[in-house]
Amino acid sequence: MQPCLLILVRHGRTAGNRAGLGTPMSGWTDTPLDARGRQEAEVLGRRLAAGPGFDAVYASPLSRALETARIAAGAWGPVRPHEGLREIGCGEVDGAPIEEVKARHAALWEANLRQDDDDFRWPGGESYRELRARCLAAVCSIAAAHPGQRVLVVTHAGVIGQIVGALHGVPPARWEPFRPGNASLTTLSWQGERGVLLRFDDREHLDDRGRSDDRISASTRRPGG
């Protein structure tokens, strides 16, 4: 069986991706793209159109990923929603403003920032260990369905970070080392249960202003997106 070439895309920007204490915990909360995010998806679409085509397009069922996929890869549709590509579920704090989460769950906030507990979860949410297992199962199933083909996968920062982290032997709780920017490209060659990273967080199609929007201070950094 030939390997599948997976091109992973983080969705375009949403209002929740902007740095600042008013931003929410972006997990399963269904936040749409903002104007900048739609522009990023259009620019990405032009870059993809200039290269080889795709045999299939998959996306997280959350609207920010589906919209990015439909704008950037409509020519290769239909877009196939895949539940395994959702962002991490943050449970009771999902969608809540960061300042509220820090005030109500100060100890949990600090524990999450330490990134040393694979079983960490927000109340009622998903653990990092569970997230990684879900993400790897998703890409394995997609690759198995498309041997020798090129597949576009539009998903979230947390999902891409877990997949790339697994390839580098980084524990699931370490959600920050491989956090890609909005509308970026990450390419994997995947066969069976193993993958090879060919490219990570490629944003050459975006201008410098778009790149600077991804800088998040230590006081507001969080998983999800």
Side-chain angles (χ1 to χ4, degrees):
M1 183 178 293
Q2 294 182 320
C4 175
L5 191 67
L6 298 171
I7 294 83
L8 308 183
V9 170
R10 183 186 178 193
H11 61 80
R13 198 184 74 172
T14 71
N17 294 147
R18 301 175 191 172
L21 291 178
T23 57
M25 297 286 289
S26 301
W28 289 6
T29 300
D30 205 4
T31 54
L33 299 180
D34 63 10
R36 176 82 188 184
R38 288 188 291 275
Q39 181 185 51
E40 289 172 340
E42 291 169 357
V43 173
L44 173 63
R46 290 194 288 272
R47 179 173 179 184
L48 295 177
F54 296 97
D55 297 290
V57 180
Y58 288 83
S60 158
L62 296 173
S63 63
R64 56 193 185 272
L66 281 175
E67 187 178 4
T68 299
R70 287 165 179 159
I71 293 172
W76 298 286
V79 178
R80 309 182 196 187
H82 194 301
E83 287 290 332
L85 299 173
R86 282 179 177 269
E87 184 55 279
I88 188 171
C90 296
E92 296 174 13
V93 304
D94 211 313
I98 284 177
E99 67 267 30
E100 178 182 320
V101 176
K102 292 179 71 175
R104 294 178 56 193
H105 304 281
L108 282 175
W109 181 266
E110 292 302 322
N112 187 47
L113 290 184
R114 287 197 296 272
Q115 301 183 49
D116 60 4
D117 180 5
D118 293 344
D119 293 311
F120 174 90
R121 71 179 74 232
W122 297 103
E126 182 177 29
S127 75
Y128 289 114
R129 191 186 304 276
E130 291 167 343
L131 172 64
R132 175 162 295 185
R134 169 167 65 79
C135 295
L136 291 177
V139 294
C140 285
S141 68
I142 292 171
H146 300 279
Q149 296 184 332
R150 288 172 52 88
V151 179
L152 188 70
V153 177
V154 183
T155 182
H156 306 269
V159 175
I160 296 172
Q162 287 296 336
I163 295 167
V164 177
L167 297 181
H168 285 79
V170 175
R174 295 289 308 280
W175 49 262
E176 196 170 33
F178 298 105
R179 185 176 177 83
N182 290 112
S184 63
L185 296 168
T186 294
T187 304
L188 308 170
S189 176
W190 203 279
Q191 187 172 19
E193 297 183 355
R194 297 183 179 182
V196 176
L197 180 65
L198 304 178
R199 173 176 54 178
F200 174 69
D201 195 25
D202 179 351
R203 286 180 270 173
E204 291 183 0
H205 48 288
L206 302 175
D207 59 27
D208 290 338
R209 184 178 61 180
R211 298 180 192 187
S212 68
D213 284 341
D214 291 313
R215 298 172 188 161
I216 299 178
S217 68
S219 64
T220 60
R221 63 198 174 114
R222 78 285 190 203

